[in-house]
Amino acid sequence: MSGARDETVAEAPPSPPPIRGNVPGSYALSVFRERHPVLVRQVAGALPYPPDRRRALDRLLDEVVRDVMEPLEPSAHDGAAWAEWGRGKIGRRYVDVPFLWGESYFYRKLLEATGYFGDGPWRGIDPFGPMKRAELDGPVVDGELAALDGTATLSPAERADALLLGSLWGNRADLSFGVTLKGDRERAADLVVDDRPLLWSLIEAAAPGRICLVADNAGRELLPDLVLADHLLAGGLAGEVVLHVKPFPYFVSDATPADVLACLRRLAAAPGRAGEAGARLWGAMEEGRLTLRAHPFACAPLPYAEMPDDLREEFASASLTVMKGDLNYRRLVGDRMWPASTPFAAVTAYFPGPVVALRTLKSDALVGVPERTLAELDAAGRPWRTTGTHAMVQARS
């Protein structure tokens, strides 16, 4: 809906209040009141947890329904960190603390309830694993990977955009790789910000650069992310792709190292161009051109503005950092009630290098949208900020 813009503001504007869940009718409130209770029940039914784990899950469900954040046990391996992060928050209602923090704390409590960090037999068992495997092994993925064969008829520029849009829209239910020009035009029409020209210019100017790709979800979203990484490596646009994932399960389907390996196996076993990409990626990982990072900060309830020095140095050394998905976007812009037209470059001025956000809109955090675009979308009378029907490619050099 809009082309690339020249956002040259160097300093961030004053920060507005963080998004919270205590606003009637808000998306954040629906997450706490509707999504989290359902998720606890889904996790409890997904694996044959023994009585002690089921009691712990029941206690978490009661905590969520009562809407009071109970502290972690003092024996929790990261209890001191969460106690520090939660100073002034633990004991309050989930909906009254910043949305990003409260949602993150819920998922940490969910892992505690399943025994993920304990010393027993459930240590290291991904509570979301059954959902991830069902999606990755499903027949829908076969068709999506087969669609890659259609990219052979596209020009190099068309193929690059098709793979980029496939990665962008990867967490939408109607994922495909956009292998037709008609499909690409339809996808582009739903971009509220379209900085693809700036994205490709940043990549090409630094080629073969070192690109950090900060992944979001596993399964059907991670597959097209990996295909995009293969395109960058195979085409000489990147000398190295560093794939940042979560060190352990976080939000429902967030990608971990185990999920990356599962997706690589799925790609490598596929026929046609998907299998060729899988084989190249497998080799790239063996050669060190595709590397994994699983920094603990990836599972912290904090915005990227508060990243530790070693992670800041990592992003500063990259020719480009690509932030995938809604959660990374929320952390990138601080998950605050910004006026939607606030310049993206201003809000992300703290970030230590060029950054691009590939994000499907699924929450209220939003910046960098031109006033005219906002007026057009709002005038249509249909929800668009949290429904996943619109997306953005947002870049800052």
Side-chain angles (χ1 to χ4, degrees):
M1 286 189 167
S2 64
R5 294 151 337 284
D6 180 19
E7 293 182 336
T8 58
V9 180
E11 296 183 2
S15 295
I19 295 171
R20 301 178 191 271
N22 54 11
V23 178
S26 68
Y27 170 79
L29 180 61
S30 72
V31 168
F32 291 122
R33 290 286 188 264
E34 300 168 19
R35 181 183 298 179
H36 287 177
V38 170
L39 185 58
V40 175
R41 296 186 182 99
Q42 287 179 337
V43 167
L47 291 168
Y49 289 110
D52 62 330
R53 293 301 99 213
R54 301 195 70 81
R55 287 193 295 271
L57 286 164
D58 286 343
R59 287 194 296 272
L60 178 59
L61 179 60
D62 178 67
E63 175 182 328
V64 170
V65 172
R66 287 188 295 110
D67 193 17
V68 177
M69 293 188 296
E70 302 290 351
L72 287 166
E73 292 294 329
S75 59
H77 79 100
D78 55 355
W82 278 97
E84 179 61 29
W85 291 331
R87 191 181 303 274
K89 300 180 182 72
I90 303 298
R92 298 174 61 187
R93 298 196 306 166
Y94 276 96
V95 299
D96 288 337
V97 303
F99 181 34
L100 176 64
W101 200 96
E103 198 174 11
S104 299
Y105 190 64
F106 163 78
Y107 283 103
R108 177 60 185 85
K109 293 295 294 288
L110 185 59
L111 290 184
E112 195 71 11
T114 64
Y116 185 88
F117 294 112
D119 294 328
W122 292 91
R123 182 182 182 89
I125 302 297
D126 187 344
F128 311 120
M131 293 178 250
K132 293 176 178 178
R133 285 191 293 274
E135 180 186 75
L136 191 60
D137 295 339
V140 173
V141 171
D142 292 330
E144 292 167 348
L145 295 181
L148 272 174
D149 292 340
T151 62
T153 62
L154 302 178
S155 71
E158 291 168 346
R159 185 181 307 116
D161 260 349
L163 298 180
L164 177 66
L165 289 170
S167 175
L168 171 63
W169 290 107
N171 58 0
R172 229 172 75 164
D174 60 349
L175 166 68
S176 70
F177 284 94
V179 297
T180 67
L181 293 178
K182 179 176 182 293
D184 280 354
R185 283 196 297 269
E186 289 172 351
R187 285 165 175 260
D190 288 330
L191 298 182
V192 299
V193 176
D194 186 0
D195 284 345
R196 283 179 293 169
L198 178 54
L199 181 155
W200 289 120
S201 70
L202 290 170
I203 291 175
E204 291 165 2
R210 181 172 177 271
I211 296 176
C212 288
L213 176 56
V214 185
D216 187 27
N217 294 319
R220 291 174 67 196
E221 179 170 357
L222 187 57
L223 286 169
D225 291 347
L226 287 169
V227 170
L228 179 60
D230 171 65
H231 172 77
L232 297 173
L233 289 167
L237 294 171
E240 179 186 2
V241 172
V242 184
L243 186 63
H244 286 250
V245 295
K246 306 298 190 298
F248 49 81
Y250 192 38
F251 284 35
V252 179
S253 56
D254 281 8
T256 67
D259 297 319
V260 175
L261 299 180
C263 285
L264 283 177
R265 288 193 295 269
R266 184 73 158 97
L267 275 173
R273 295 179 73 88
E276 294 169 3
R280 286 192 297 267
L281 288 166
W282 195 281
M285 186 166 282
E286 291 181 330
E287 297 162 2
R289 293 184 299 115
L290 174 63
T291 58
L292 290 181
R293 294 284 189 276
H295 196 286
F297 187 77
C299 295
L302 304 170
Y304 280 110
E306 299 180 36
M307 74 181 90
D309 290 341
D310 62 332
L311 187 59
R312 178 176 292 275
E313 292 169 4
E314 170 98 15
F315 291 142
S317 68
S319 56
L320 179 67
T321 296
V322 179
M323 293 283 184
K324 270 300 308 291
D326 197 75
L327 177 58
N328 280 321
Y329 187 87
R330 290 167 59 190
R331 298 184 74 189
L332 183 64
V333 303
D335 208 39
R336 294 178 176 275
M337 298 298 296
W338 297 105
S341 59
T342 306
F344 178 71
V347 176
T348 61
Y350 71 89
F351 200 83
V355 63
V356 173
L358 302 182
R359 180 237 185 166
T360 303
L361 276 62
K362 293 185 174 180
S363 67
D364 289 312
L366 186 63
V367 299
V369 182
E371 293 280 5
R372 179 176 178 180
T373 301
L374 290 168
E376 290 174 355
L377 289 167
D378 290 340
R382 297 185 297 272
W384 60 274
R385 296 190 185 213
T386 62
T387 56
T389 57
H390 291 74
M392 58 204 326
V393 179
Q394 208 162 32
R396 192 218 73 197
S397 61

